[in-house]
Amino acid sequence: MRLRHPDGSVVHLSYGTNVHPAESVDGLLAQLTRFAEPVRRALDVPRLGLGLWLPAEAAGPLAADPRELDRLRTALDRAGLEVVTLNAFPYAGFHAPVVKQAVYHPDWTERGRLGYTLDCARVLAALLPDDAERGSISTLPLAWRDPWDDARQSAARKQLDELAEGLAALGDRTGRTVRVALEPEPGCVVETAADAVDRLAGVDTDHLGVCLDLCHLATEFEDPAGSAAALGAAGLPVVKTQLSAAVHADDPRDPATREALGRFAEDRFLHQVRELGAGGTAPRDDLPEALAGDAPLPGDGPWRVHFHVPLHARPDAPLRSTTDVLVEGMRALVGGAHPLVDHLEVETYTWGVLPAGQRPTDDAALVAGLAAELAWSRDRLVELGLEAL
């Protein structure tokens, strides 16, 4: 969907298709008919934006074969769908039975990550609507934090410089601007906005910047306005924002709260936990570890859990979601005189691993849930003064 900001600029709102387990070009085409077009119809909009997850198995053939690319572009157009942003964080296997830390490989020290991202950029440049100002691609925040040293930082930086050169050459060749956004995430080399300022200082900001995932930001107990201000002061653009919410537990010692949290512990994805205390946050890398690992968190302060929950629906009490932080983030990023970012992606990829009773049981229920999230997001943006187009 598109919305017009009071300053006249267009803000794009999409949903992230990494919720769907498609890895090939044929799989991408099938998900358009099975999910994306029905979501558009449920919203009764003429055109719906997709934050297309492009796994490596699909990115390579699309970048190399104009016929495959034309198949995808034609299918998108026929279904009333458009793409201005890609998710190139997961390389492959995002819906394997166990993903956990595998999602961070290959990282930005490895040549495979660079080649894959440039393939994605070539595809996006060809998919962009004629009237879109630019395209965006979100990627991982360099790597998982361990192991990391000066040599790996130097290798990653060299590859980011090559990436910027490749994006500049792509723009010269096609006339389309594509920017890549590194996405801070708990447990990674770049966890927070402050880490982004430190680790990304001096990058080519015409082509590289930051993707603010508002679930990740909330999990770290970051202030959205402060984070946006810090990035702006450092000259790092917010290229893309993922509209997402984390799980919040006010009293992790409470038995009912612990039981509710336990229902979010699952085998596929990593669910980092942060406990807020007087001296900052205490971290654990996964929810089972925080609840009952070798060194469980004490529960002296509130917890935030990196589990993307539906934006329009609250978790069962006594838990709640961080939609208050999400709304604050939307206000800070697009509620001012001019938007700081114009690509917004609803990214709830965890529908299939929600606790029993909260997850959709068929395609129709998932379509309804995705449409409800997008409608909720659109309504919040309209409350900030934007106009739905």
Side-chain angles (χ1 to χ4, degrees), residues 26-48:
D26 286 341
L28 292 178
L29 292 169
Q31 74 180 215
L32 302 183
T33 302
R34 183 178 173 188
F35 297 110
E37 188 174 7
V39 170
R40 181 186 64 78
R41 290 199 302 264
L43 288 164
D44 192 25
V45 293
R47 188 156 293 267
L48 176 65

Side-chain angles (χ1 to χ4, degrees), residues 54-88:
L54 206 58
E57 186 179 332
L62 286 167
D65 189 342
R67 293 169 300 179
E68 288 289 87
L69 191 54
D70 188 60
R71 271 211 305 156
L72 177 57
R73 186 170 47 228
T74 300
L76 288 164
D77 189 59
R78 286 177 176 169
L81 306 168
E82 66 179 12
V83 176
V84 302
T85 187
L86 297 181
N87 187 329

Side-chain angles (χ1 to χ4, degrees), residues 47 78 123 143 163 172 270 350:
R47 188 156 293 267
R78 286 177 176 169
V123 173
L163 172 64
D172 290 341
L270 201 63
T350 47

Side-chain angles (χ1 to χ4, degrees), residues 258 284 286-297 303:
R258 296 185 73 81
R284 294 295 183 271
D286 208 355
L287 181 55
E289 178 186 348
L291 286 168
D294 293 336
L297 287 172
W303 288 8

Side-chain angles (χ1 to χ4, degrees), residues 19-355:
V19 65
H20 307 310
E23 298 270 345
S24 65
V25 176
D26 286 341
L28 292 178
L29 292 169
Q31 74 180 215
L32 302 183
T33 302
R34 183 178 173 188
F35 297 110
E37 188 174 7
V39 170
R40 181 186 64 78
R41 290 199 302 264
L43 288 164
D44 192 25
V45 293
R47 188 156 293 267
L48 176 65
L50 300 184
L52 194 64
W53 173 45
L54 206 58
E57 186 179 332
L62 286 167
D65 189 342
R67 293 169 300 179
E68 288 289 87
L69 191 54
D70 188 60
R71 271 211 305 156
L72 177 57
R73 186 170 47 228
T74 300
L76 288 164
D77 189 59
R78 286 177 176 169
L81 306 168
E82 66 179 12
V83 176
V84 302
T85 187
L86 297 181
N87 187 329
F89 193 132
Y91 181 86
F94 194 55
H95 288 267
V98 178
V99 178
K100 300 294 184 181
Q101 292 184 12
V103 75
Y104 307 112
H105 296 285
D107 64 33
W108 272 105
T109 67
E110 301 173 73
R111 299 298 293 178
R113 176 61 64 173
L114 175 62
Y116 161 60
T117 307
L118 286 172
D119 278 347
C120 289
R122 296 181 189 104
V123 173
L124 180 57
L127 294 180
L128 283 174
D130 291 341
D131 60 348
E133 290 191 21
R134 66 187 72 83
S136 64
I137 300 174
S138 48
T139 187
L140 76 161
L142 298 182
W144 185 250
R145 68 178 184 277
D146 184 36
W148 197 256
D149 54 24
D150 289 345
R152 289 174 65 79
Q153 174 69 27
S154 177
R157 181 54 179 270
K158 180 180 178 181
Q159 296 222 119
L160 290 180
D161 290 343
E162 287 188 54
L163 172 64
E165 291 171 4
L167 295 172
L170 177 68
D172 290 341
R173 186 169 66 253
T174 65
R176 311 311 303 269
T177 298
V178 174
R179 299 191 295 177
V180 171
L182 284 82
E183 180 183 328
E185 178 171 321
C188 293
V189 173
V190 178
E191 286 194 278
T192 64
D195 290 334
V197 169
D198 179 39
R199 295 289 187 178
L200 303 181
V203 298
D204 176 359
T205 53
D206 287 336
H207 298 98
L208 304 179
V210 173
C211 171
L212 278 184
D213 183 303
L214 294 172
C215 170
H216 300 174
L217 183 146
T219 300
E220 291 284 353
F221 288 91
E222 287 190 81
D223 169 60
S227 296
L231 293 169
L236 276 174
V238 181
V239 170
K240 172 178 178 177
T241 291
Q242 285 169 331
L243 305 183
S244 52
V247 172
H248 179 97
D250 286 306
D251 183 6
R253 287 182 173 177
D254 170 59
T257 298
R258 296 185 73 81
E259 181 181 353
L261 285 167
R263 292 195 286 271
F264 283 88
E266 54 86 28
D267 293 334
R268 181 175 297 162
F269 299 119
L270 201 63
H271 300 296
Q272 302 93 315
V273 183
R274 298 294 182 266
E275 178 176 315
L276 184 63
T281 58
R284 294 295 183 271
D285 288 338
D286 208 355
L287 181 55
E289 178 186 348
L291 286 168
D294 293 336
L297 287 172
D300 295 333
W303 288 8
R304 298 264 176 89
V305 183
H306 172 220
F307 195 120
H308 291 224
V309 289
L311 307 187
H312 65 291
R314 295 183 178 184
D316 292 341
L319 302 179
R320 60 181 176 88
S321 70
T322 59
T323 50
D324 55 341
V325 180
L326 170 55
V327 172
E328 289 174 17
M330 295 167 78
R331 182 178 298 110
L333 292 164
V334 299
H338 304 284
L340 302 182
V341 62
D342 55 2
H343 290 181
L344 308 177
E345 176 184 289
V346 174
E347 198 212 15
T348 307
Y349 59 83
T350 47
W351 280 95
V353 295
L354 286 169

